[in-house]
Amino acid sequence: MKEKNIYLVGNPNCGKTTLFNQLTGLTQKTGNFSGVTVEKKEGYISLPNIELKITDLPGTYGLGGIAEDKKIAYEVLLKRKEDEVVIYVLDALNLERGLQFLLQIIDMGAPTLVVLTMKDVLEKKRIQLDLEKLKQSLGLQIVLVNAKSGEGIAELKSLLAKEESFQKQKRLWKWDEKEESYLNSLKQKLKITTNEAEFFLTQSLKFLNGDPHLQDNRNLNQFPIETKELLSREIESKSFHFGYQEEMIHRSILIKKIISNSIFYPNVTKGGWEEKLDQIFLHPVFGFLCFFLLMGILFQSLFSFAEIPMDLIEGGITKLQDFTGSYLPDGPLRSLLVEGILGGVGSVVVFVPQIALLFLFIGVLEESGYLARASFLMDRLMGKFGLSGKSFIPLLSSAACAVPAILGTRTIENKSDRFTTIMVSPLIMCSARYPVYILIVGTVFSYPPIFGIFNVQGFVLFSMFFLGMAVSFTFALIFRKTVFKENASYFVMELPRYNLPSIKSLFFTVYGKVKSFLATAGQIILYISILLWFLSHFPAEYKDEVWKTSPIESSYIGRVGKVMEPAIAPLGFDWKIGISILTSFAAREVMVSTLAVLYGSEEEGEESESLRETLRADKKSDGSFVWTPLTGISLLLFFAFASQCMSTLAVTKKETGSLLWPTVQFLYMTTLAISTSFIVYQLGKILGFV
């Protein structure tokens, strides 16, 4: 079967990802672009006689610039093979902005098919679009779709299978007369006839003219040395104006003509519901109240709505353990499978409903257009801490995971802003902390709901999010005042329209994120669970045909734990908590599986209980409970600030290009974690708390 590669290109918020999900469904996979750690999505479509591979490029407003997303799109399109084609996603309500980028793609000579999105919004706003005139103006095939509902997708798929749907077009706009005339004479002199060669020539002229968006001479090097010398001489001796800015002006003139001929807007009265919502969401007081109210609802819902599926998963794992145990004789294999693997991995799988809810909530905020408004609002606050609103989206993305958040800082051009954001991102509460927080909060704060609605656990979780954000802002200010003193960059952004999130797109987003969480964390948890099972059951022996393990305190792990216990006792931690902190350095959520294995070993032979109930019942040698509210707060603070994620440190090294910054990040966060836990626990004891 024939195969074809297609690149999906377009502006941010144009419906590109929703379209990608519609086209590829569950056949997508994620990875990194070659040579860089920026995530890409690839998906496949099987059509009669042809297999299509679609690569979703980062959303960008154009190919010129130094931001990483623009550089990647430029590199990929520049190096595409001759038979590789482009689907350009064009937002029907932002034609002027989208056509700027499309004209650049045309200039490159890429065979292109245009997908016009937002069909539903056009109809809702009663905007009339003359599709035939738009096709004639651009000389390209265009299909109008509603990416959310799937309307027009069947027609699009039928076009994808046809070679002639992807058309090449000549440059549609013109330079000023002097530059255009010189370019035409050069094309004749150098015998340039193709779009691709003309693109290299104009890029070379812009480079020689000192365009700041072109920082290397790779296009110029496409030509022989005598041509390079000729171009250099003539550009130096004559005052030509070849540059990105001039291009934009000439393209804009053409775009206005195209739009005025093909789209007709009704008379719009001001003061619609979108404007009224913006007056609230962007208000300096009400805007912040709305933001924190939304975050409060999120953390309340994590406990309120996830309890039932969590109980079902927990019950399912217990039944699986019973089923597996009943078919195996007593011995090491049964113990390894039931207590080590199922107990360890199952203890983390049980938190999947809450992780899924978190990603769903963030997805709704992003797709609805609220997240961009929150960034705009936060710009005012973040300016007081030496950052711009550009840092807010990476910081809020840290609520899911610090690794993509740090990669997301590549869109920040200002180096000081970028490095500061990288250094403080891991302080924001991430999804890896949720299983730990939920276990601790659920264990030590098991109080009934206030007014029957607001549960204390949700309030504590929200407080931890707020604390993480407050401390990250504080350390951002410290870094900006001490190490990164360069002035903050300006934050300019276009607010997207309010949109009803696509259920299908949200489903694929949540599915992909949960799958990634289980795949990455699951492997580490499995390996550590097996290692811990061994260390917590051995030395062991067969005696009188009965397999006897050591008591947990006498096992290998127990001996290590007892040695380290005096060092962590001032923080309120016993040796089992200490071991779980050690193992969670690989990944924070490993703490939960570690406790499950350690307590599972201790409770062997007793009636099965949930991990939280087992923790609540655990006592010290003096008869006092190990898991008290004071110990819980101390442990929460430790996990809020400790740098326990090897992936985050690795990506910090990659992005800063130095071992220095991950070292600083690890040291300042660990010091903050230990000192905060110590002060809070000791102060709490002095005040009489337990």
Side-chain angles (χ1 to χ4, degrees):
M1 185 183 281
K2 191 180 173 186
E3 286 189 5
K4 184 193 278 186
N5 287 338
I6 298 177
Y7 295 109
L8 200 60
V9 184
N11 295 153
N13 299 313
C14 66
K16 190 161 63 71
T17 303
T18 307
L19 178 68
F20 176 80
N21 289 334
Q22 278 283 3
L23 288 173
T24 61
L26 292 173
T27 61
Q28 54 188 272
K29 66 172 187 178
T30 56
N32 290 323
F33 286 102
S34 179
V36 289
T37 51
V38 173
E39 192 178 77
K40 68 175 175 182
K41 276 187 187 172
E42 288 177 349
Y44 296 86
I45 312 174
S46 292
L47 297 174
N49 303 320
I50 192 163
E51 175 91 357
L52 304 176
K53 178 180 150 188
I54 299 185
T55 304
D56 188 14
L57 295 185
T60 173
Y61 294 109
L63 299 173
I66 56 173
E68 201 65 36
D69 49 353
K70 290 182 179 178
K71 280 163 66 177
I72 287 169
Y74 184 70
E75 291 288 336
V76 171
L77 293 176
L78 203 61
K79 293 176 181 171
R80 68 177 175 78
K81 294 174 186 165
E82 199 171 334
D83 60 341
E84 293 177 335
V85 296
V86 168
I87 295 177
Y88 186 83
V89 185
L90 182 60
D91 180 348
L93 292 186
N94 281 304
L95 280 181
E96 188 158 354
R97 189 183 64 192
L99 286 173
Q100 273 284 353
F101 190 13
L102 175 59
L103 292 181
Q104 284 185 297
I105 304 289
I106 290 173
D107 291 351
M108 293 183 90
T112 304
L113 167 68
V114 178
V115 176
L116 201 60
T117 58
M118 310 294 173
K119 183 174 186 288
D120 53 331
V121 187
L122 277 180
E123 290 165 357
K124 207 175 286 178
K125 289 181 176 284
R126 290 178 293 146
I127 298 171
Q128 294 175 19
L129 175 72
D130 191 330
L131 198 59
E132 288 307 314
K133 276 194 177 172
L134 191 60
K135 285 181 185 176
Q136 285 171 16
S137 301
L138 295 171
L140 298 174
Q141 181 69 256
I142 303 174
V143 58
L144 184 61
V145 305
N146 179 351
K148 287 179 197 162
S149 68
E151 188 182 353
I153 297 297
E155 184 191 352
L156 173 60
K157 283 188 177 177
S158 70
L159 288 173
L160 294 181
K162 298 173 187 167
E163 200 78 41
E164 61 272 19
S165 302
F166 296 88
Q167 296 168 324
K168 280 189 178 187
Q169 177 59 285
K170 288 184 178 177
R171 178 166 56 92
L172 297 171
W173 55 277
K174 291 186 185 302
W175 295 92
D176 277 335
E177 194 174 339
K178 180 182 172 187
E179 281 75 16
E180 189 69 31
S181 172
Y182 175 64
L183 186 63
N184 286 332
S185 68
L186 270 179
K187 282 162 58 181
Q188 284 184 354
K189 192 182 293 182
L190 301 175
K191 295 187 172 53
I192 287 176
T193 55
T194 65
N195 284 10
E196 290 88 340
E198 183 183 327
F199 178 76
F200 288 131
L201 180 61
T202 52
Q203 296 298 97
S204 303
L205 293 172
K206 286 194 289 182
F207 171 75
L208 290 169
N209 236 186
D211 188 328
H213 296 94
L214 285 169
Q215 297 184 337
D216 62 61
N217 59 352
R218 74 172 78 178
N219 297 297
L220 187 61
N221 286 337
Q222 303 283 331
F223 298 98
I225 190 154
E226 54 272 18
T227 304
K228 288 198 279 185
E229 287 173 356
L230 168 74
L231 295 176
S232 300
R233 271 198 314 274
E234 296 201 356
I235 288 290
E236 271 182 28
S237 61
K238 300 172 185 176
S239 55
F240 290 117
H241 294 287
F242 289 104
Y244 183 64
Q245 206 165 349
E246 285 76 14
E247 264 189 17
M248 280 190 69
I249 293 168
H250 292 295
R251 284 199 300 259
S252 293
I253 294 168
L254 173 68
I255 288 168
K256 286 192 186 302
K257 283 182 189 170
I258 293 173
I259 291 176
S260 64
N261 286 332
S262 55
I263 196 159
F264 307 96
Y265 296 93
N267 291 329
V268 179
T269 54
K270 288 191 175 179
W273 64 271
E274 291 189 345
E275 202 171 309
K276 286 175 183 168
L277 273 183
D278 275 349
Q279 286 174 358
I280 299 171
F281 288 147
L282 303 179
H283 191 274
V285 177
F286 298 129
F288 281 105
L289 286 176
C290 287
F291 175 75
F292 289 115
L293 178 65
L294 284 170
M295 291 298 114
I297 291 171
L298 163 65
F299 295 113
Q300 284 290 324
S301 65
L302 286 186
F303 273 95
S304 304
F305 300 144
E307 199 64 36
I308 295 173
M310 279 183 73
D311 288 343
L312 288 174
I313 294 174
E314 199 168 17
I317 292 168
T318 304
K319 282 182 181 174
L320 188 60
Q321 285 178 301
D322 293 343
F323 176 78
T324 308
S326 65
Y327 280 89
L328 291 172
D330 189 31
L333 181 61
R334 178 180 180 276
S335 176
L336 172 64
L337 285 174
V338 174
E339 294 158 20
I341 295 176
L342 290 175
V345 177
S347 63
V348 177
V349 171
V350 79
F351 294 104
V352 163
Q354 281 159 319
I355 302 288
L357 263 178
L358 170 73
F359 288 127
L360 176 67
F361 200 86
I362 291 175
V364 170
L365 291 183
E366 193 170 1
E367 287 210 8
S368 64
Y370 175 77
L371 208 56
R373 283 160 176 84
S375 305
F376 186 79
L377 181 76
M378 284 290 171
D379 184 53
R380 299 169 190 161
L381 175 67
M382 295 178 79
K384 299 183 190 305
F385 294 90
L387 293 174
S388 77
K390 272 195 172 179
S391 298
F392 178 69
I393 291 195
L395 286 177
L396 191 62
S397 302
S398 291
C401 179
V403 171
I406 289 172
L407 294 175
T409 63
R410 290 181 167 206
T411 56
I412 304 173
E413 285 94 348
N414 183 298
K415 189 180 174 184
S416 291
D417 273 6
R418 183 164 176 248
F419 273 42
T420 303
T421 309
I422 289 172
M423 294 303 287
V424 302
S425 284
L427 287 169
I428 301 286
M429 189 165 83
C430 66
S431 62
R433 287 183 174 101
Y434 283 93
V436 179
Y437 286 178
I438 291 165
L439 176 68
I440 299 169
V441 171
T443 301
V444 299
F445 297 103
S446 57
Y447 304 113
I450 301 168
F451 304 124
I453 304 173
F454 304 107
N455 57 56
V456 178
Q457 295 99 324
F459 176 74
V460 175
L461 212 55
F462 171 68
S463 303
M464 295 306 295
F465 169 77
F466 184 77
L467 178 71
M469 186 170 270
V471 173
S472 70
F473 281 14
T474 305
F475 271 85
L477 184 63
I478 293 170
F479 278 116
R480 291 311 302 261
K481 293 285 183 190
T482 55
V483 187
F484 308 116
K485 293 184 177 177
E486 191 182 347
N487 289 333
S489 58
Y490 292 103
F491 178 51
V492 180
M493 73 173 295
E494 183 179 355
L495 293 179
R497 290 179 311 282
Y498 288 101
N499 286 309
L500 202 60
S502 157
I503 293 173
K504 195 169 184 179
S505 177
L506 287 174
F507 169 76
F508 286 124
T509 302
V510 173
Y511 172 79
K513 298 282 186 188
V514 170
K515 188 179 166 190
S516 173
F517 169 79
L518 289 174
T520 51
Q523 284 186 27
I524 300 170
I525 291 163
L526 176 64
Y527 299 146
I528 292 183
S529 295
I530 293 171
L531 177 67
L532 280 169
W533 169 84
F534 172 78
L535 294 174
S536 61
H537 284 74
F538 286 79
E541 60 177 351
Y542 265 111
K543 198 170 183 180
D544 300 328
E545 297 186 349
V546 177
W547 188 62
K548 288 191 175 179
T549 59
S550 301
I552 187 72
E553 281 82 0
S554 307
S555 66
Y556 295 131
I557 199 80
R559 294 175 200 176
V560 174
K562 290 290 181 184
V563 170
M564 68 182 291
E565 192 169 49
I568 56 174
L571 310 182
F573 307 154
D574 73 342
W575 70 268
K576 279 176 271 191
I577 296 175
I579 292 293
S580 67
I581 288 173
L582 272 185
T583 56
S584 62
F585 179 71
R588 290 184 177 94
E589 52 272 67
V590 170
M591 184 217 181
V592 178
S593 59
T594 303
L595 289 172
V597 172
L598 291 177
Y599 279 91
S601 304
E602 190 179 55
E603 300 294 331
E604 188 180 8
E606 294 185 8
E607 190 179 345
S608 175
E609 291 181 312
S610 78
L611 181 55
R612 277 182 282 195
E613 288 168 346
T614 308
L615 296 180
R616 281 188 206 117
D618 190 27
K619 290 183 178 177
K620 298 176 185 173
S621 55
D622 62 3
S624 61
F625 287 103
V626 174
W627 291 80
T628 63
L630 185 58
T631 304
I633 291 170
S634 175
L635 194 52
L636 283 173
L637 291 173
F638 185 90
F639 268 85
F641 303 136
S643 175
Q644 289 173 294
C645 181
M646 286 190 292
S647 304
T648 300
L649 293 171
V651 81
T652 297
K653 179 182 178 297
K654 169 86 178 170
E655 292 302 301
T656 58
S658 164
L659 195 59
L660 171 68
W661 297 116
T663 307
V664 172
Q665 194 176 56
F666 176 79
L667 289 176
Y668 97 82
M669 288 182 68
T670 305
T671 306
L672 179 66
I674 293 172
S675 55
T676 311
S677 288
F678 176 80
I679 292 168
V680 168
Y681 184 74
Q682 293 302 324
L683 197 62
K685 275 179 64 178
I686 292 169
L687 295 174
F689 292 102
V690 292

